[in-house]
Amino acid sequence: MISTLEQQLGPMLYPLVLCSLIASLIILERLAILSSYTLSGRLKRAGLNVMVHYKDEDKATREEVLSVWLHGQQKHLAAGIRLLHIIAIVSPLLGLLGTVLGLIQVFDSLALHAGPIDPSLLADGLGLAMKTTACGLIIAIPALLGAYLYQLWVDKLISSCEHALNIHSLRCAGICTAALA
């Protein structure tokens, strides 16, 4: 099977497989983590615990602590998303490099051939060119979609937590929040 893939994708096989594996692992791992946080409400509870822990501090200190905590949570929830962006950029370029290598192979076989040109001389190189391009795009599209959708998901989780913390802070200050929730 590996030899068949090497024949079809040439030297771009290993970098493309590596990009595919890394993107797949990140997509699955982020799905599990973000689903867990969304379904459990863990982020809001943890934020409220932080707020309770610092309840005796002045408002500015509490807000600064919560801001730093939220930033750390955002970094944790967004782990791997930048790498997905990189894979979404690099994998089509690897496919394009495979295209160039395939075309070089076509021209090399034409240069060595004398006489009428048989289409089979072009088939291997053009096949390599098209297959690596397609493979690079097949990897890039889900990686790009995953990166953007997961970033939106993280932003929504953080925003929702921040809103809940602000409402709780107002309640602690004795302000009626019925119209805000």
Side-chain angles (χ1 to χ4, degrees):
M1 180 171 159
I2 295 292
S3 64
T4 304
L5 285 173
E6 278 183 314
Q7 185 180 18
Q8 291 180 349
L9 297 176
M12 292 295 99
L13 170 68
Y14 297 106
L16 287 169
V17 166
L18 182 64
C19 285
S20 176
L21 286 173
I22 292 171
S24 297
L25 289 173
I26 292 171
I27 287 170
L28 292 173
E29 187 259 352
R30 285 294 96 190
L31 179 63
I33 296 292
L34 295 175
S35 295
S36 168
Y37 271 82
T38 299
L39 295 173
S40 71
R42 183 179 355 170
L43 191 63
K44 288 178 187 176
R45 280 196 316 275
L48 290 174
N49 286 338
V50 170
M51 183 177 268
V52 167
H53 187 265
Y54 289 94
K55 69 179 181 214
D56 296 330
E57 300 295 328
D58 62 280
K59 184 181 180 202
T61 302
R62 267 195 327 271
E63 287 178 356
E64 186 66 27
V65 166
L66 286 170
S67 175
V68 169
W69 179 82
L70 273 172
H71 181 70
Q73 294 304 304
Q74 185 170 21
K75 283 177 61 177
H76 168 70
L77 292 172
I81 292 176
R82 283 190 180 168
L83 187 53
L84 274 180
H85 276 116
I86 291 169
I87 290 170
I89 292 168
V90 169
S91 57
L93 293 174
L94 291 171
L96 183 59
L97 179 58
T99 300
V100 170
L101 294 174
L103 292 175
I104 289 170
Q105 182 179 334
V106 166
F107 288 119
D108 285 347
S109 64
L110 287 176
L112 297 174
H113 184 73
I117 296 176
D118 183 19
S120 65
L121 286 173
L122 308 175
D124 285 340
L126 291 178
L128 176 70
M130 295 300 107
K131 289 171 187 162
T132 56
T133 301
C135 189
L137 291 172
I138 288 169
I139 295 166
I141 292 169
L144 188 61
L145 283 173
Y148 279 105
L149 292 176
Y150 286 152
Q151 189 60 57
L152 287 172
W153 196 349
V154 167
D155 292 345
K156 183 174 171 134
L157 279 170
I158 294 296
S159 176
S160 175
C161 180
E162 187 175 29
H163 180 73
L165 293 173
N166 287 337
I167 294 292
H168 184 72
S169 180
L170 290 171
R171 284 183 187 146
C172 289
I175 298 172
C176 178
T177 60
L180 300 176

